[in-house]
Amino acid sequence: MFDLPTIWAGLLAVAIFIYVILDGFDLGIGLVFPFLETDKCRDVAMNSVAPVWDGNETWLVLGGGGLLAAFPLAYAVVLPALYAPFIIMILALVFRGVAFEYRWRDKAHEKTWDKSFFFGSLLATFTQGIVLGAFVQGIEVDGRAYGGGWWDWLTPFSMMCGVALTAGYALLGSTWLVMKTEGILREKAYRISKITAVATLAFMGIVSLWTPFLSPEIAERWFTFPQLLFVLPVPTLVFILAGVLAFGLVKRRDSLPFLATIGIFLLCFIGLGIGITPYIVPRAITIAEAAAPDKSLMFMLVGALILLPMILAYTAYSYWVFRGKVDPEAGYH
């Protein structure tokens, strides 16, 4: 009665997108950290995410665990192909988390922890971009297993995706600071946001122009009728939101740049979905082929329908409680 594999693919897509946004601005603050001139500015920047940052990885765990449970074949192919960048990403997230906490407790080495926070954020973000690029360019499959080599993930395209995602997360982080802070830090965040906005849109354009040349099938999906009718609205809306982003930055509408950036990320995510559907491993394994048995999917769906609203409600409540501008004199720590 229900297309359970498609439902689960949608749930995983939502979980991954929520992770990208929530941990994206969190990592983005780490990326812009060295450009905040004073210790007070860095303290306020950290306090803007301190109440919520450690809950953002919940969605990464949900995405990874859900892929294993709902699409075990895809998990068995994707993980061996991307072991190296995944391990680097996880270690970087752990290192970054340690730096976040120890910065407040070990004042004698605060500068060291500041650098650790930046490099952990940079490495985690860059490897996420590499994972995205390696996934989009395609994973070699031999029967029901990964058929490629150890270094297949490291290509010029995946590296460019790493750079593009780094710029995008920096934009999320700087526009978050615009929305959440005041005074000197807010002014600095506006200046950084203008630079990261240009960089994000430029690298996004490069990746978008590069992608059709990765495979004739991608080019056919993007540029032939009727698929073109689904693809064309995406760049059109991106162009509109880029204008909204620019308007918000120029006119100093504090919340608008962050919301416009989320919209741009959403459109990129939708464009990715249009490009790979119905595959879960691009051009190799479809959603239906990778799915677990329907009975297993239904059993897990019952649990997901109970737990996901609870997680969403808790997350929304956390952000609601800590809404508004951060008080520079009142720290979370």
Side-chain angles (χ1 to χ4, degrees):
M1 184 168 59
F2 300 106
D3 186 354
L4 292 174
T6 301
I7 292 173
W8 266 104
L11 287 176
L12 293 182
V14 170
I16 293 170
F17 177 73
I18 292 175
Y19 169 76
V20 166
I21 297 303
L22 297 187
D23 217 30
F25 72 76
D26 184 358
L27 288 165
I29 289 175
L31 294 173
V32 303
F33 213 61
F35 306 101
L36 307 179
E37 289 96 344
T38 67
D39 288 338
K40 185 64 176 178
C41 286
R42 288 187 282 271
D43 289 346
V44 175
M46 274 197 162
N47 277 326
S48 73
V49 295
V52 296
W53 77 272
D54 48 356
N56 295 338
E57 277 82 11
T58 300
W59 300 98
L60 180 63
V61 174
L62 177 60
L67 183 66
L68 170 62
F71 302 100
L73 177 58
Y75 187 92
V77 171
V78 172
L79 263 290
L82 301 173
Y83 270 142
F86 271 133
I87 290 172
I88 294 170
M89 179 192 74
I90 292 170
L91 291 176
L93 288 172
V94 171
F95 185 60
R96 176 181 175 277
V98 170
F100 193 106
E101 295 296 338
Y102 272 68
R103 180 183 186 273
W104 301 97
R105 308 299 180 188
D106 183 16
K107 287 295 183 180
H109 301 94
E110 185 177 64
K111 298 300 181 185
T112 300
W113 294 119
D114 284 352
K115 293 175 183 177
S116 301
F117 183 60
F118 166 69
F119 283 111
S121 301
L122 177 62
L123 194 56
T125 301
F126 188 67
T127 50
Q128 285 182 21
I130 286 179
V131 166
L132 173 63
F135 180 77
V136 170
Q137 73 187 8
I139 295 172
E140 185 176 342
V141 178
D142 183 8
R144 293 173 60 85
Y146 174 56
W150 178 250
W151 296 102
D152 285 10
W153 54 272
L154 191 60
T155 65
F157 178 76
S158 67
M159 298 279 282
M160 178 55 68
C161 288
V163 173
L165 192 64
T166 300
Y169 277 8
L171 177 60
L172 276 171
S174 58
T175 54
W176 169 266
L177 291 178
V178 164
M179 184 174 68
K180 295 291 289 183
T181 63
E182 297 177 305
I184 297 173
L185 180 54
R186 173 177 172 270
E187 294 302 312
K188 183 64 177 180
Y190 263 114
R191 292 195 294 272
I192 295 173
S193 295
K194 291 175 183 178
I195 297 170
T196 54
V198 172
T200 298
L201 294 172
F203 286 122
M204 184 189 305
I206 293 171
V207 171
S208 298
L209 292 173
W210 195 335
T211 300
F213 294 97
L214 296 174
S215 164
E217 185 174 339
I218 296 178
E220 182 180 354
R221 277 176 170 267
W222 281 28
F223 301 123
T224 59
F225 191 84
Q227 290 90 338
L228 184 63
L229 297 177
F230 296 98
V231 174
L232 193 58
V234 174
T236 304
L237 292 173
V238 167
F239 182 79
I240 293 172
L241 283 178
V244 174
L245 173 60
F247 175 82
L249 292 175
V250 172
K251 297 296 184 180
R252 301 299 182 98
R253 307 294 174 84
D254 288 3
S255 298
L256 195 57
F258 183 68
L259 297 175
T261 303
I262 291 176
I264 290 172
F265 268 79
L266 176 61
L267 289 171
C268 291
F269 203 73
I270 292 172
L272 175 63
I274 293 172
I276 66 173
T277 304
Y279 295 100
I280 194 166
V281 179
R283 302 177 298 284
I285 301 174
T286 66
I287 292 171
E289 291 170 343
D294 279 357
K295 288 185 178 180
S296 298
L297 294 178
M298 178 57 75
F299 177 78
M300 293 186 295
L301 184 62
V302 173
L305 292 177
I306 296 172
L307 291 176
L308 279 179
M310 295 172 62
I311 297 172
L312 285 168
Y314 168 78
T315 302
Y317 179 71
S318 298
Y319 280 90
W320 173 256
V321 168
F322 294 99
R323 67 192 182 277
K325 298 284 187 178
V326 177
D327 183 354
E329 304 304 323
Y332 174 77
H333 282 80

